[in-house]
Amino acid sequence: MDAREQREMSKSVIPFNRPYSTGFELANIQQAYENGMLSGDGPFSQQCETWLKSYANVEMALVTHSCTGALEMAALLLGLKPGDEIIMPSYTFVSTANAFALRGATPVFVDIRADTLNIDENLIEAAITKKTRAICIVHYAGVACEMDVIMDIAQKYSLKVVEDAAHAIGAQYKGQPLGGIGDFGTLSFHETKNLTCGHGGALLIRDKKWTQRAEIIHQKGTDRRSFGRNEVDRYTWQDIGSSFLLGELSAAFLITQLEHMVQINEQRHALWTHYNEALKPLEVKGWIKRPTVPQGCSHNAHMYYILLNPRFNRRAVLKELLDAGIKAVFHYIPLHTAPAGQKHARQSGDLSVTNECANRVIRLPLWTNMPSVHIGFIVDNLEKILKLHTKR
Ligand SMILES: Cc1ncc(COP(=O)(O)O)c(C=O)c1O
């Protein structure tokens, strides 16, 4: 282990993320144990689903082991077959594309907007072919895509819309919760997200026509839920499906986080705003670009990212931040540049904004209850580092 790694391990580094606890999780886990139902689909899972259904104003919410699982369920529900095409950004996590590639469908990558890093809604129509079945959008950093335009295109060409709202719990577009606008919405409760249970997710379903089949796919392709409601006297294999449930211990953890969503997101907003104000002088100098939140979008302060001026060497800046005791990170490697992206997907048009932004993004530490003094320290150090770089 080198000195830098040792420093990181010795906790003298401000971590990039630290999962938050409301203080009520352990009592709930004890209760789940006493309930004697740990595998999933128990009372805590039901509480989470009731909460999510009402929050997103949808017909059904199913808690899953991950957002990846929820995306895979959406792909199964769409009944995709090899050759079908799904339009999406390349600037996203692998699961967005993988879920559809697993069904044999082809992700078709469209460029993103330079202001929000969300799919460029004006490029979607040009990517539509006879094989297009759906548009899967990603609300990057919990800032909504231009949903009115996207829903209009979907309606015009009879396409389905999947909202990958992995980042976006608590965020809204024109007053509507993200994940509840398209045909399907998927949420993540991974430890890096605003609300977490370690590893978890949810599928939100807007229309009743999908719900019966969704329950079956969720329960390994069986009608076990109907059996649980005494609608059938045994459960049997009905359809293809998989083991998508969230374990009940995780659901017991998650419900407390859902119930504290407003407070958690408020806390994060205060930190986000603090960053945004403290970083303004660096933007004025032209060293960075701060995030843009378009009108009508109320975001959830999921992450604070900056776009570094391309004159700076990002790798060197990240290393120097770490040397100063700050763990900042970058993501995503655009999927069209990755080996599986080249094998299983294709691109529509030029992806130059994706390529450029992906090389410039830096995500700064932000977690619920992060001491706000960290922000002063982080911004001061970033400024010092960039100033030194301008002189090189
Ligand atoms: C946009 C996006 N979609 C999907 C996922 C997958 O989420 P999970 O880890 O819950 O499977 C992630 C993970 O961070 C993500 O960033």
Side-chain angles (χ1 to χ4, degrees):
M1 196 187 292
D2 66 23
R4 190 156 50 84
E5 283 167 336
Q6 268 173 18
R7 192 140 175 234
E8 204 179 345
M9 291 302 288
S10 74
K11 302 242 186 288
S12 63
V13 165
I14 298 173
F16 169 67
N17 177 59
R18 189 169 275 168
Y20 173 71
S21 158
T22 63
F24 298 100
E25 287 85 354
L26 292 182
N28 266 12
I29 285 176
Q30 176 71 30
Q31 181 61 52
Y33 175 69
E34 283 165 20
N35 290 345
M37 262 194 86
L38 299 183
S39 63
D41 242 352
F44 283 110
S45 295
Q46 279 157 26
Q47 277 183 48
C48 291
E49 290 175 355
T50 304
W51 191 96
L52 286 162
K53 179 172 181 285
S54 141
Y55 153 77
N57 192 22
V58 286
E59 271 301 326
M60 177 179 263
L62 294 169
V63 283
T64 55
H65 53 67
S66 59
C67 182
T68 302
L71 284 161
E72 288 172 16
M73 283 191 66
L76 280 161
L77 280 161
L78 287 173
L80 300 174
K81 55 183 188 321
D84 288 344
E85 294 182 347
I86 314 296
I87 293 171
M88 65 179 67
S90 167
Y91 186 67
T92 181
F93 191 66
V94 292
S95 301
T96 318
N98 219 2
F100 300 101
L102 273 168
R103 310 307 320 144
T106 305
V108 175
F109 299 131
V110 163
D111 213 357
I112 51 171
R113 291 166 46 147
D115 58 350
T116 56
L117 313 195
N118 282 333
I119 193 164
D120 188 336
E121 65 280 1
N122 296 316
L123 301 177
I124 292 176
E125 240 174 314
I128 295 172
T129 69
K130 282 196 192 112
K131 297 175 182 170
T132 309
R133 297 288 313 282
I135 307 167
C136 180
I137 53 92
V138 178
H139 301 297
Y140 183 68
V143 175
C145 296
E146 197 38 75
M147 291 310 291
D148 281 350
V149 176
I150 292 166
M151 296 306 290
D152 282 351
I153 296 172
Q155 200 179 13
K156 181 170 166 195
Y157 292 92
S158 302
L159 304 176
K160 300 290 178 252
V161 174
V162 181
E163 291 177 79
D164 181 341
H167 299 179
I169 184 87
Q172 296 182 343
Y173 173 78
K174 299 187 179 172
Q176 285 175 279
L178 304 189
I181 303 169
D183 297 273
F184 303 111
T186 65
L187 299 170
S188 175
F189 304 116
H190 181 267
E191 70 173 20
T192 51
K193 302 304 188 292
N194 292 28
L195 310 185
T196 184
C197 57
H199 205 257
L203 176 67
L204 307 175
I205 302 171
R206 207 191 52 199
D207 195 320
K208 205 169 171 33
K209 72 177 180 210
W210 305 102
T211 57
Q212 199 186 355
R213 186 153 180 250
E215 283 190 345
I216 289 171
I217 289 172
H218 189 231
Q219 267 285 12
K220 306 161 189 81
T222 73
D223 54 354
R224 191 167 179 163
R225 274 221 181 187
S226 303
F227 176 65
R229 292 191 294 262
N230 292 322
E231 290 162 9
V232 289
D233 61 0
R234 67 207 155 126
Y235 67 89
T236 53
W237 187 21
Q238 302 285 323
D239 197 341
I240 54 169
S242 191
S243 184
F244 287 113
L245 303 196
L246 181 68
E248 189 66 0
L249 294 176
S250 298
F253 196 104
L254 181 60
I255 187 66
T256 72
Q257 301 250 327
L258 294 173
E259 286 169 348
H260 287 80
M261 179 185 81
V262 173
Q263 298 92 313
I264 288 173
N265 284 354
E266 268 174 17
Q267 277 248 1
R268 299 178 74 98
H269 258 284
L271 296 165
W272 194 99
T273 306
H274 190 160
Y275 261 130
N276 209 39
E277 277 158 18
L279 285 163
K280 192 170 177 189
L282 276 69
E283 187 174 71
V284 171
K285 288 186 173 119
W287 294 352
I288 64 162
K289 194 184 147 315
R290 295 174 301 158
T292 304
V293 181
Q295 268 214 327
C297 299
S298 111
H299 73 104
N300 65 348
H302 170 53
M303 69 169 89
Y304 198 92
Y305 73 89
I306 54 171
L307 291 176
L308 203 58
N309 184 307
R311 72 199 269 201
F312 299 108
N313 176 335
R314 179 174 64 178
R315 192 182 290 270
V317 171
L318 287 175
K319 181 186 172 303
E320 286 163 42
L321 280 171
L322 190 55
D323 290 341
I326 299 155
K327 179 73 179 167
V329 301
F330 69 88
H331 75 166
Y332 300 106
I333 308 293
L335 298 178
H336 70 281
T337 66
Q342 282 164 13
K343 185 167 173 201
H344 298 293
R346 70 173 179 84
Q347 71 184 70
S348 167
D350 169 55
L351 301 181
S352 54
V353 181
T354 301
N355 291 331
E356 195 207 318
C357 293
N359 285 327
R360 293 175 56 197
V361 165
I362 288 186
R363 296 178 64 186
L364 299 173
L366 174 63
W367 71 88
T368 313
N369 259 355
M370 182 171 92
S372 64
V373 289
H374 283 354
I375 295 181
F377 179 77
I378 293 165
V379 173
D380 285 352
N381 274 284
L382 181 66
E383 186 164 12
K384 268 190 234 153
I385 291 167
L386 296 183
K387 193 171 180 182
L388 282 174
H389 275 246
T390 56
K391 292 186 177 147
R392 282 182 193 164

